[in-house]
Each structure stands twice: as C-alpha cells, then as structure tokens.
Amino acid sequence: MTRELSFNLFEMNTVGHISHGLWRSPQSTRHRYTDIEFWQDRARVLEDGLFDSVFLADVIGAYDGYRGGPETALREAVQIPNNDPLLVVPLMAAVTSHLGFVATFSTTYEPPFAFARRASTLDHLTKGRFGWNVVTSYLPNAARNFGLDDELDHAQRYDRAHEYLDVLYKLWEGSWDDDAVVRDVDGGVYTDPARVRPIDHDGTYFRVAGPHLSEPSPQRTPVIFQAGSSKTGRAFAARHAEAVFVGGTSLNDFAATIADIGRRAEEQGRGPDAVRTLGSAVLIPGRTRADAHRKAEEFARLSSAEGYLAHAGGGSGIDLAAYPPSTRISDIISAGGSSHDAATTSRYAPGATVGEALNEIVRFDRGPFFAVGTGEDIADAIEGWVDQTGISGFNLRQFVTPGTVDDFVEYVVPELQKRGLYRTAYSTSTMREHLFGPGNARLPATHPGARYRGGAHLKEPA
Ligand SMILES: Cc1cc2nc3c(=O)[nH]c(=O)nc-3n(C[C@H](O)[C@H](O)[C@H](O)COP(=O)(O)O)c2cc1C
C-alpha cells in the first residue's frame, strides 16, 4: 500500500544554512529572516503546499575551525548571524492551522526544566503541532559559550542526553494528570492538587524537584526527531526518536540504516513501525529539463567553496586549508589532527586526500537523493528512492528562498499527488498525527516516555 510521504522544509533562522553562497542570488530574500512577515509568508506557502512541517535546524556556536577562526563563516554567512528557532514558531502558528514546526534544541547546555516549559508552551500555542530535533551539539565554540573549555566527549554528551529526556518525560507525561485542571469557579479550585505531583528526579547529571509548571498540552511530549549517525546516536534514536534523519552515501547505505533503526526500535519493544525515517532531498525542478539544468548551473556558479569549507571545518574538527592537497585525511586523523575522530572518519571516503575532500565538500549534487528535471522526472526519482530504501519522507533542502519551495509545490507536488505519494489535503492537525495518523496525538504506550503516566515509576531508575 503506497503511503503518503512526509515532506518538511529544511530551514534555519539565519541567512545561510547549507547552500553556501546562494544568499547572493538576486532572487534570495534570506536577509529578511529577522522580519515577522518573512516567517509568516513562509508558513502560509508551506501550508498551501501541504507540507508536514518546517524543520528549523540550529547551532549555538560559531564555525571557527576553518583557517583558525570564525572569519570565513562570518564573511560567507555560514549559519551566522542566526536567531533562536523557538521564537519564530508561534509567529508561523498564528497564520496556519495544520503546518507542523520542528525546532532544534540541544540537551548539552541548558537545563531540562527550563526547556520543558518552553516546549509545553509551544505545544499549547501551536495546538499540538510542535516537534523537537534533539541534538547534543558538535561545535567547540558552543561549549566555550556555555562556560566549558571544550566540548564534552561524544559518549558523555549522549549519556547526559538520555537522562535529559528522562527528566522531560517525567515532567511532560508524569507530573500532571489529564484532568488536573478542574476550573471549578464555584469551588474556587483551578487545578486539583491531588492530580499534580513533583518528580523528585535525582540522577547523575540533573536534580529536578518539579512539579512541571505547564498543564498538559495536546501532545504533552513534542514529536521527538533526531539525527544520530554514530552507533551511540543510533542507540539513542532507537530508544527515543519517532522520526530519524538518516545520512548515507548510497541508496544501499540508506536501506541498511533504515532497516537497522527499525530493528533497534523493535529490540526496544517499540514495534517495527515506531520510527519514521527522513532523508535530505536535493531537488531542482523546472518547467522543462533545460530550465531545471539552467537553475542547477546558476546554483553551482553561486556556490561558495569557502562557505562549505568553513561549515565542514566546524563538524569535522579538521582545518583542511592547513594541509597540502595531496595529504591523506587518515594520516591527519592518526596524527591527532582532528577533534572528532569518529565523525571525521565516517565523513570522508577511505584513503581520501585533502584535495579530493575539498572537491567533494563543495558539491551539492552528491548523495543519493539528488534530482534535476521536470516534476515528472523528479517524482519518478523519488518513487525509485522510496522503493529501494523504504524511507518515509524527506527534508527538502533549500537553494533559494522562496524559489525552492515555489518550484517544488508547482512542479513536483502535483506529480506526487497523482501517484498517491503526497497528501491532497490535511486530514490531521497535530504533528504526531501527521506522521502516525489520526488518533495518535500522544506518545504510544510502547514509547519509554509513556511509562510515567499517572505518576508511575517516577522514583525508579530509567
Ligand atoms: C539532517 C540533519 C540535521 C541536523 N541538524 C542539526 C542541527 O540543527 N543542529 C546540530 O547541532 N546538529 C545537527 N545535526 C547533527 C546531528 O545531531 C548529529 O550530531 C550528527 O548527525 C552526528 O551524529 P552522532 O551524534 O551520532 O555522532 C544534524 C544532522 C543531520 C543528518
């Protein structure tokens, strides 16, 4: 049975997210990201385009790993300047009624009690359309912004993230009963104290008394998104995530990772269908093939190699510009030249040289979910990707704002609708129901977060 695909717009509250150099396009309106109207226009277009959600990436530090400082990232607008993604969600919710909002927030730096209330507030204001992209953050500068000398190591970041989520589940699912708010005007009782409780969490990283300050919101727990590619990241996804962004360099890669995530979730007792999987779709549609290829050439012409290198310098911890092009990446890593050995090794082809890596980094046509052509060409490609990988949907990468979304909605959506791969109208209005169907606004009982309902298990270790 063909299932409608989930499409989210891959966004960020900034000028330059991942298509570096494209802010210079004469069509680009990215410089208006500080305006309320910019986000409200986006939201209306996405709801008219029947998207599942706008997915807001985020970083809380500057990319200062390239050429020894943040200068290139500043010049090239590589995710700086950037504003807080959570604050544009209510603006967009005010002018829409179905579009979901997924925002990135890190488990590494701000305390869980504060985020618990912010998330509940957003779930209330959006009437259950809020999702959370859980990250542990990967920029050394972010650590120094929050009082650390350097990043916590990868394993500790995830260990801490598990407890962070556990505290949040206790607050969102366990602290208030569904019927705690009685609003008994005659009796003068707004909330029945017998139906609200502290969580008294006392763990390795956090001590949180509670109760939660927010009354239950439509979804209580926002939809949990995550994008871990390492073993630790995948184990985290299998336990917590309801939607996972899958990385990979080939369709077989994706098929294997998607099967692995399903298996891991099943091992956690969550069932084979508990996790939706999303890839990054790089689509350049046009009225004709020639029109589409003209756009692709224009995007390549505007692409900034320096921008991509500054971006890569952040995550990989290697300042590629500091090495002769013939140097092997593996030699740099074994000589201790990278602060992210695991992530760096997986990022480059085995035996790759600095020169090869530089050429790869600036290319936007890499990765299996890349297509240029008419709407029909692109729908054909998408159908093939889904058949070969079993993927549930895609984050649509933006080249030019507003052009990329306009072209997708005009040329690709009608073709996908003809094939039953894209909704023709919204039939659900919460983010979780967009992914899992009507009646599924709350976490399923098989999800670890549900174990605290009614105040159960609050005193037991996770
Ligand atoms: C599609 C996608 C989106 C991501 N968005 C963010 C983001 O907005 N902020 C962030 O700090 N990390 C982001 N990441 C990085 C991941 O959270 C994660 O750190 C990375 O995939 C490495 O995986 P690992 O944590 O398992 O090592 C993203 C990764 C992917 C694949």
Side-chain angles (χ1 to χ4, degrees), residues 10 55-59 104 133-138 154 157-158 227-230 232-234 245 247 343 395:
F10 203 13
F55 174 89
L56 291 150
D58 188 41
V59 287
T104 298
N133 175 37
V134 182
V135 301
T136 65
S137 296
Y138 55 80
H154 190 259
R157 290 205 311 266
Y158 271 105
S229 47
S230 64
T232 321
R234 282 200 211 166
F245 293 99
N395 258 24

Side-chain angles (χ1 to χ4, degrees), residues 53 61 74 90 105 122 124 138 180 193 196 201 205 212 245 253 292 350 353 388 405 409:
S53 82
L74 286 161
F105 191 83
L122 289 171
H124 277 301
Y138 55 80
V196 178
H201 176 89
Y205 301 103
H212 187 34
F245 293 99
D253 248 5
T353 65
Q388 288 181 60
V405 170
V409 171

Side-chain angles (χ1 to χ4, degrees), residues 44-214:
R44 289 191 193 95
V45 169
L46 292 168
E47 178 142 298
D48 293 347
L50 301 169
F51 276 70
D52 257 14
S53 82
V54 52
F55 174 89
L56 291 150
D58 188 41
V59 287
I60 41 183
Y63 289 82
D64 61 0
Y66 180 59
R67 293 189 192 282
E71 292 74 19
T72 307
L74 286 161
R75 258 196 313 274
E76 302 281 344
V78 175
Q79 302 191 1
I80 190 171
N82 81 43
N83 280 344
D84 189 323
L86 299 178
L87 300 183
V88 293
V89 169
L91 303 174
M92 293 192 278
V95 296
T96 55
S97 41
H98 291 92
L99 184 69
F101 309 100
V102 182
T104 298
F105 191 83
S106 177
T107 57
T108 300
Y109 298 113
E110 294 190 53
F113 187 79
F115 180 64
R117 185 174 67 152
R118 235 172 276 163
S120 292
T121 306
L122 289 171
D123 199 48
H124 277 301
L125 293 176
T126 63
K127 294 191 172 43
R129 293 183 278 152
F130 184 57
W132 171 29
N133 175 37
V134 182
V135 301
T136 65
S137 296
Y138 55 80
L139 289 172
N141 179 252
R144 295 195 295 274
N145 290 340
F146 288 87
L148 302 177
D149 295 332
D150 202 348
E151 289 180 276
L152 302 176
D153 75 43
H154 190 259
Q156 194 190 5
R157 290 205 311 266
Y158 271 105
D159 190 40
R160 201 188 144 87
H162 277 287
E163 187 180 333
Y164 198 101
L165 268 288
D166 206 42
V167 170
L168 291 170
Y169 297 143
K170 290 178 178 179
L171 292 167
W172 286 327
E173 300 287 338
S175 186
W176 289 58
D177 291 347
D178 285 341
D179 52 4
V181 173
V182 292
R183 200 162 159 258
D184 173 2
V185 174
D186 300 339
V189 177
Y190 192 85
T191 298
D192 175 355
R195 300 178 197 170
V196 178
R197 59 197 64 82
I199 67 167
D200 295 325
H201 176 89
D202 190 354
T204 309
Y205 301 103
F206 307 107
R207 288 183 59 219
V208 180
H212 187 34
L213 296 175
S214 301

